Amino acid sequence: ASSALTIQSRGNGMDRLTVFDAATRPVVQKTPNGSNLFQLDINSLSPGVYIVRVDCGGEILTEKLVVAK
């Protein structure tokens, strides 16, 4: 089975998406190219807590992501 996280921005399109591990190391970096909707494959992430950072036209949004398998 595959697992994906769907991220949608309401305003500006996404310029960059970064997932950080608990030690604040970037473990995933993607460039959605201004898209408002992006699906991130999270199968490669180990169980744990992550921070998802989305850069949207100069605005930075962060959310906590908990991966459990």
Side-chain angles (χ1 to χ4, degrees):
S2 67
S3 298
L5 174 68
T6 301
I7 300 166
Q8 183 172 8
S9 65
R10 292 199 183 118
N12 296 319
M14 293 175 266
D15 300 316
R16 187 176 351 159
L17 186 143
T18 310
V19 179
F20 296 93
D21 66 11
T24 67
R25 291 181 302 245
V27 292
V28 176
Q29 293 182 333
K30 298 290 182 180
T31 307
N33 296 323
S35 174
N36 282 28
L37 188 64
F38 188 77
Q39 282 214 320
L40 178 66
D41 181 355
I42 59 171
N43 284 313
S44 63
L45 297 179
S46 299
V49 178
Y50 297 87
I51 298 296
V52 179
R53 172 185 161 145
V54 181
D55 294 80
C56 298
E59 189 176 359
I60 297 172
L61 308 167
T62 57
E63 287 291 332
K64 182 169 77 168
L65 169 65
V66 177
V67 175
K69 295 184 181 177

